[in-house]
């Protein structure tokens, strides 16, 4: 599933989440960006944060609980659907594996 497909999979495709792209950012920045996006939205809106930081899988649900929101979806984005960054890699060395990207969707409460 690509990051674009993640928005269609939530809530049976009834509502399309706003995506907060925090790939490549480390704790606490993914939650800070998610909180900033939440301030501009209302109850019932969906926000999906994309993150490569493993801590986000714990931090986002904790933030959601503390703020009266709920996590409605969490899944790993399929490899190969990430934004590719081109760079020169010496032939004798294979490129490093790309970090996992997690899509965590929160439904805003109060």
């Amino acid at each position: 599933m690509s990051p674009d497909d993640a928005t269609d999979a939530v809530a049976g495709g009834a509502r399309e989440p706003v995506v907060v792209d925090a790939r490549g950012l480390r704790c606490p920045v993914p939650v800070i960006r998610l909180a900033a996006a939440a301030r501009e939205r209302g109850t019932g809106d969906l926000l999906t944060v994309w993150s490569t930081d493993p801590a986000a899988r714990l931090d986002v649900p904790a933030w959601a609980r503390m703020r009266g929101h709920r996590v409605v979806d969490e899944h790993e984005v399929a490899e190969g659907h990430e934004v590719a960054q081109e760079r020169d890699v010496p032939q004798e060395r294979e490129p490093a594996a790309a970090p996992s990207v997690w899509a965590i969707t929160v439904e805003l409460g109060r």
Side-chain angles (χ1 to χ4, degrees), residues 34-35 38-39 41-45 47 60-72 105-110:
L34 182 60
R39 283 192 293 273
R41 305 292 184 274
T43 301
D45 285 350
L47 294 173
V60 169
W63 171 83
R65 278 190 308 275
M66 290 187 308
R67 299 292 181 206
H69 311 310
R70 69 182 184 103
V71 174
V72 295
T105 301
V106 175
E107 179 179 35
L108 301 181
R110 49 185 150 116

Side-chain angles (χ1 to χ4, degrees), residues 3-47:
D4 293 331
D5 294 336
T7 59
D8 295 330
V10 176
R15 296 173 290 169
E16 190 166 318
V18 172
V19 173
V20 177
D21 190 347
R23 291 176 289 184
L25 303 175
R26 304 295 286 178
C27 178
V29 179
V31 171
I32 291 170
R33 295 242 174 123
L34 182 60
R39 283 192 293 273
E40 301 170 3
R41 305 292 184 274
T43 301
D45 285 350
L46 298 174
L47 294 173

